[in-house]
Amino acid sequence: MIEYIRGELTELTPALATVEAAGVGYGLNISLNTYSACQGHLHPSGGTRGGEVKLYVYEAIREDAHVLYGFYNKKEREMFELLITVSGVGTNTARMMLSSMSVGELCNVISTGNVKLMQSIKGIGKMTAQRIIVDLRDKIVALGIASEIPAGGSVQTPVDNAVRDEAVAALTMLGFSPAPTQKVVVQILKDQPSLPVEQVVKLALKQIK
């Protein structure tokens, strides 16, 4: 079992982080929350290569694949592991949820029983939302996840084609079709041109049909 990977952040996109440790490059699927945290490790000169980073790992071992998921802190991994225990919530759906809301925001939604807000997350229907709330309300308190404080705002970056392309690429990796995805992303950037990539993706997740 891999507990965490510490090494050089050699590649970073909103959906994937590559960390090189002992000469091996590990590709880890990440949420937008972890992406935002990892951005602080990028070199000031720009690009997608950065310094040392430590990501906690969840291994999804299937017959046809061995997939690694990376988390900037244990709280997010614990929430991920709780989410996938709920019937109807797989690893991709759990990552989608952690890309749409911070751990603190999810805790608030679950603890208050806000089914409507839970349903605003792409792929979460009413029955699944109710099941998540019922199954996890007590567990997030027992594990101390409910004490997680919602993350603050993101640093604003100038908008250019790179923001649009990176957002579309991230959403495509999450399973959405490129054409309708690009349409939504472009409209978001027209309305709010100063948004960073992770915020564009979060908004798009709520709008893509």
Side-chain angles (χ1 to χ4, degrees):
M1 174 181 172
I2 300 175
E3 171 63 12
Y4 64 81
I5 294 174
R6 184 185 354 235
E8 182 185 6
L9 180 64
T10 60
E11 196 71 29
L12 179 67
T13 73
L16 185 72
T18 302
V19 180
E20 183 177 331
V24 179
Y26 296 90
L28 300 108
N29 292 280
I30 59 174
S31 70
L32 285 176
N33 291 318
T34 290
Y35 169 74
S36 297
C38 285
Q39 282 191 309
H41 294 264
L42 295 177
H43 289 313
S45 58
T48 58
R49 194 177 182 92
E52 186 178 82
V53 69
K54 177 182 178 180
L55 295 179
Y56 292 92
V57 175
Y58 175 83
E59 299 176 82
I61 302 174
R62 303 191 295 265
E63 289 184 4
D64 60 341
H66 185 177
V67 184
L68 301 179
Y69 292 84
F71 306 92
Y72 196 72
N73 58 48
K74 287 186 176 181
K75 293 287 188 182
E76 188 183 27
R77 184 176 64 178
E78 288 172 357
M79 177 60 83
F80 179 88
E81 290 174 335
L82 281 180
L83 289 170
I84 61 177
T85 65
V86 179
S87 177
V89 178
T91 53
N92 286 334
T93 299
R95 180 169 67 150
M96 181 85 71
M97 295 177 71
L98 288 166
S99 291
S100 301
M101 297 182 183
S102 69
V103 174
E105 288 168 339
L106 274 173
C107 285
N108 184 56
V109 169
I110 293 170
S111 63
T112 59
N114 195 331
V115 174
K116 186 175 181 180
L117 190 54
M118 182 72 75
Q119 283 183 261
S120 70
I121 300 173
K122 181 68 178 179
I124 302 298
K126 185 176 182 180
M127 293 297 292
T128 301
Q130 292 175 332
R131 195 177 300 122
I132 291 170
I133 291 169
V134 171
D135 288 2
L136 303 185
R137 181 178 279 165
D138 292 336
K139 293 180 181 178
I140 62 172
V141 175
L143 287 176
I145 300 176
S147 63
E148 180 74 3
I149 299 173
S154 300
V155 176
Q156 299 298 303
T157 57
V159 166
D160 54 26
N161 289 336
V163 173
R164 179 200 64 198
D165 294 344
E166 201 169 358
V168 172
L171 289 160
T172 300
M173 288 182 70
L174 288 172
F176 296 103
S177 300
T181 294
Q182 178 156 312
K183 184 178 180 181
V184 171
V185 168
V186 168
Q187 186 57 54
I188 290 171
L189 288 173
K190 283 182 179 179
D191 296 338
Q192 302 181 69
S194 63
L195 286 181
V197 174
E198 62 268 26
Q199 292 299 325
V200 173
V201 175
K202 281 189 178 183
L203 287 175
L205 287 172
K206 297 178 181 180
Q207 297 180 28
I208 298 175
K209 302 301 182 183

